[in-house]
Structures are given as structure tokens and as C-alpha cells.
Amino acid sequence: MAQPVAIVCVGMAGSGKTTFMQRINAYLHGKKEPPYVINLDPAVRSVPFESNIDIRDSVNYKEVMKQYNLGPNGGILTSLNLFATKIDQILAILEARAKPNPNNNATPIKSILVDTPGQIEVFVWSASGSILLDSLASSFPTVLAYIIDTPRTSSTSTFMSNMLYACSILYKTKLPMVLVFNKTDVQDAGFAKEWMTDFEAFQAALRREEESGSFGGVEGGEGALGGGSGYMGSLLNSMSLMLEEFYRHLSIVGVSSMTGAGVDEFFQAVAEKAEEFKRDYRPELERRQREKQAGKEKRRERELARLMKDVDVSGSLSSSSQPAKRKPARKNDPESISDSEDDDDDDVEAHMAEPDEYDLDRGGDSEEATNAGLTSRYRKALEQDAAANKQSSVDENSFVRYLRASNAGV
């Protein structure tokens, strides 16, 4: 059975993510394939679509700001951190909905739509955002839809800024990406596609802006930028050459969330990227998981070796098990008042002997056998602990373990 594809919509504030989500949600409903919708924006007042899972049902954004004395961005980040602790429950729900249920006639979902906060850096560069993305990717084919405001990207400088941001997100998340040039009803995205496929076309547009004095999309932009357009033009030329290879790994789609134009092409690009995820990204993800598991095993072995060294099972038991010998009396020590006092001291010293000594004497066991038994018991306990952790985890993406591992690496 085919797995549902998770589409995570990211983009800068004002790029039209929520309207785009509404459009693709309506498109899937029109095809009788209703998606499973997740809203991860805790600060939005209302959304034009119905969410199956909404962060606002679990976290009160305003109360988080008030209790932790935070600003808007800090409140969003903390809300996401709190919500990420429920990722195991979310994955369990998604996996259950992806399977046919014999108890009812519910159709298994084919798409998972995720709407993210407008503060893109809060989601993409935070620990909770990484947890949510990695958790989805470990269970379902996941594709990023990077939404771009086409009219605002008509100048070469803002276009390059968007491309650099998309490049950083791609290599940060290591997930396949579709570039969605939104609002094509206002301005066609043909110029952006040409700039991404023809370096000379981008250079020509850059020269035109420099000559007209509208560099950066503003009249008189040269002086406003400082340093002149010569420096900025050279920089943009160099970056366009550098990003040429990056452009080849992206799918580019022009969409109008208002009219619905281009939505068919978008889902075709998503299907291609889902296959690319299974072919290229999933093996890499599994390799990283194996490396992570191997690292855990090595750390467990080091902890065991350190523990064995601390208890000194390699031979120090024999020296520590020797009966305490009576110290010779010093010149300034008071003499015993009677022989009975000396006898009491001997009894106390006898009882201070290590109990392991008596066990060895009674049982006749060697120290090596005792050490081996202790080592095997520690190994067995660590193996049982590892098995219990593995049984209780969901793809090893629990928030608590992730946070612990992150803190350990700091």
C-alpha cells in the first residue's frame, strides 16, 4: 500500500502560505481525496480551512507569552517546543489514518498538509522544527513546498535573497523541495524560471537595473545600498554561478492561490519529489539512523568501561578486601586502661573487614569469577535498558531523547 505524502509549506511572512494551503486543500477535496491537515502556527487567529490537528488546541500562545515573559517570536518558538513533546502521539494518529480500518469505511489518507508559522526561521532553525520534520520524514515521504511571493521577487537582489534562503533550508533539512512561485495572477513567474535556467538572462536583467538606477527594486538604489552597485552586481553574478548546480535539483512551479492555476503542476512535482525521496533521501536517512544507533552502542560500551574502572574490578578488590591492620600506637596516644578495651578494639577491626572477603573464603570462588559475574550483570542490565528504550520509542524520534542528545552534544 502506498504511503501518504507529507507536504510541509514553508515561506516568508506574506508569501501566501495559508491561502496556498486553502487552495490545495480544496483541490484534494474536489478529487475526493481529502488530506489530513496539520496547523503548526500558534499565533494565527483563524485559518480558512479545517485542521485535523491544530497546535492551538494544545498550546495557548498568549498564555505562553505571559507566563514566560516572551515576545511574539519567543512565544511561537516556545509553543512549538511544547507541542513537539506530543510528536509520538501525532505520528501514531497519522500512521493509524494511513492504514485501512476494518471497523469503518474510512478511506486511508493519501496526503498530509502541514502549515507552518510565518516566522520561517523559528520553524526551520529551531530544535522543535527539526524534530517535527525528522519525525515526519522517518515515517512518510516528506516534501518541502517553499512558497515565494512572485511580485516581490521581480528584482534581482530580492530574487537572489529568496534563492539563498531556499538553498539554506534545503541543506539544513536534507529534504526534497519544490519552489512555488505564488501570486502568478498578479505577475507571471516566467522571468524567475528564465533566471534559474539561463545565467546570461540574469546578467542582462542585472545590467538593466544598474543602468536604470533601480538596483534592488528602488529608484536610486545604488546609494541606498552603500558601496555602489558595482560591488553588489559582482556579488550577485558570483552567487548566480554558484547556485547553478542548486537550481538543477529543484522543481519550479508557478501557482495562483487565488485562481487555482498551476495546482495540477504542483502535485505532479510533489509526486516526482516523493519518488526522489524514496530513491535518494530515505537511504540517506536510514544511514544516519544506523550511525546514530552505532554511536549509542559505542557510548554504552564506554560507559560500561568507565563503570568497570570506577569499581576497579580488574584486581583492586584483592587489595581493598584485606583486613584492616591495627596501627602501631604513637608516643602521644593514651595507653589502654584495661585489657578489655584492647579486646573491644580488636572486635571492631574484625567487623570492619570487607564482606567480599568472607564470601570468597566461604565459597572458594576466585576473584576472576566474581569480576566476570559482575561484568556480565552490568552488561545484561544495559542490554535490558536498551531493549526497553527501543520498545517504547517511535522511530527513535522522541522529543525527550532528542533533547537529551542535543544537550549532551553542547
Side-chain angles (χ1 to χ4, degrees):
M1 184 182 64
Q3 287 183 304
V5 179
I7 303 173
V8 182
C9 297
V10 297
M12 297 183 182
S15 60
K17 292 188 305 299
T18 302
T19 311
F20 177 75
M21 280 280 296
Q22 179 191 20
R23 173 57 62 182
I24 61 177
N25 181 40
Y27 175 85
L28 292 174
H29 275 280
K31 294 186 64 177
K32 307 300 181 183
E33 297 177 357
Y36 204 85
V37 182
I38 302 175
N39 174 43
L40 295 180
D41 191 350
V44 65
R45 291 188 176 182
S46 62
V47 290
F49 51 83
E50 184 178 353
S51 301
N52 299 97
I53 297 177
D54 198 326
I55 187 175
R56 297 175 297 171
D57 296 334
S58 304
V59 182
N60 190 321
Y61 167 69
K62 292 185 178 180
E63 286 298 321
V64 168
M65 290 178 60
K66 184 184 301 182
Q67 291 183 14
Y68 295 96
N69 194 25
L70 299 170
N73 289 343
I76 293 175
L77 178 59
T78 305
S79 298
L80 280 172
N81 290 340
L82 295 173
F83 186 73
T85 61
K86 302 179 182 293
I87 187 61
D88 292 345
Q89 302 174 30
I90 296 171
L91 288 179
I93 293 172
L94 293 176
E95 290 173 354
R97 289 289 288 110
K99 299 177 182 177
N101 191 345
N103 298 328
N104 54 45
N105 295 326
T107 304
I109 57 176
K110 295 183 179 181
S111 301
I112 302 169
L113 306 183
V114 183
D115 191 17
T116 60
Q119 289 78 358
I120 184 173
E121 66 280 354
V122 172
F123 178 77
V124 174
W125 299 102
S126 65
S128 55
S130 298
I131 292 168
L132 293 167
L133 285 177
D134 292 345
S135 300
L136 278 175
S138 65
S139 301
F140 308 101
T142 304
V143 178
L144 291 176
Y146 183 66
I147 316 300
I148 299 174
D149 189 341
T150 305
R152 294 183 181 177
T153 317
S154 56
S155 68
T156 55
S157 57
T158 53
F159 171 81
M160 188 56 63
S161 298
N162 267 289
M163 294 302 103
L164 290 175
Y165 219 127
C167 181
S168 65
I169 294 172
L170 177 67
Y171 290 108
K172 171 65 169 59
T173 60
K174 297 181 176 64
L175 293 173
M177 177 184 290
V178 177
L179 288 184
V180 180
F181 284 90
N182 196 14
K183 305 180 183 180
T184 54
D185 54 300
V186 178
Q187 182 168 358
D188 186 73
F191 73 93
K193 296 179 181 179
E194 184 182 12
W195 288 353
M196 295 178 69
T197 54
D198 188 352
F199 170 71
E200 293 181 356
F202 180 81
Q203 282 186 321
L206 184 60
R207 284 194 299 268
R208 285 195 301 270
E209 289 186 3
E210 291 176 344
E211 293 172 357
S212 63
S214 60
F215 191 76
V218 180
E219 291 294 336
E222 298 182 18
L225 287 171
S229 62
Y231 164 74
M232 288 300 297
S234 175
L235 178 62
L236 292 178
N237 275 327
S238 300
M239 287 191 294
S240 62
L241 283 172
M242 178 193 68
L243 294 177
E244 186 176 0
E245 183 66 24
F246 164 69
Y247 294 151
R248 297 177 183 176
H249 298 282
L250 296 177
S251 295
I252 310 164
V253 179
V255 175
S256 172
S257 298
M258 183 65 66
T259 64
V263 175
D264 287 323
E265 290 80 0
F266 169 74
F267 279 100
Q268 291 175 6
V270 167
E272 294 174 0
K273 289 299 178 181
E275 293 300 321
E276 182 180 331
F277 176 90
K278 298 175 184 177
R279 184 182 66 251
D280 301 330
Y281 288 82
R282 177 164 287 169
E284 175 66 17
L285 178 63
E286 293 174 352
R287 183 189 65 80
R288 296 203 308 265
Q289 289 177 342
R290 288 194 298 269
E291 291 179 354
K292 184 179 179 181
Q293 182 62 30
K296 287 184 178 180
E297 294 294 337
K298 290 180 180 179
R299 287 195 298 272
R300 193 175 292 114
E301 291 294 330
R302 289 197 298 267
E303 291 172 0
L304 176 61
R306 190 182 302 113
L307 183 59
M308 295 295 101
K309 184 177 180 180
D310 290 342
V311 299
D312 199 11
V313 298
S314 60
S316 61
L317 286 175
S318 58
S319 60
S320 63
S321 301
Q322 295 297 330
K325 296 182 179 180
R326 187 172 182 177
K327 296 179 181 179
R330 295 191 296 266
K331 293 182 179 180
N332 297 331
D333 289 345
E335 296 181 20
S336 300
I337 298 175
S338 62
D339 294 337
S340 61
E341 183 178 355
D342 293 335
D343 296 338
D344 292 340
D345 292 340
D346 293 337
D347 293 338
V348 171
E349 290 179 355
H351 283 87
M352 289 174 64
E354 293 290 340
D356 288 344
E357 178 189 4
Y358 295 101
D359 294 339
L360 293 173
D361 291 341
R362 285 197 303 267
D365 296 335
S366 65
E367 293 178 5
E368 289 78 4
T370 303
N371 298 344
L374 183 60
T375 304
S376 63
R377 287 199 300 274
Y378 276 117
R379 287 185 181 276
K380 184 177 181 181
L382 288 173
E383 291 173 358
Q384 291 175 349
D385 179 68
N389 289 336
K390 184 177 181 180
Q391 181 67 25
S392 62
S393 66
V394 178
D395 297 311
E396 296 186 7
N397 282 289
S398 170
F399 179 76
V400 177
R401 291 195 305 279
Y402 183 97
L403 193 56
R404 187 186 303 123
S406 300
N407 292 334
V410 176

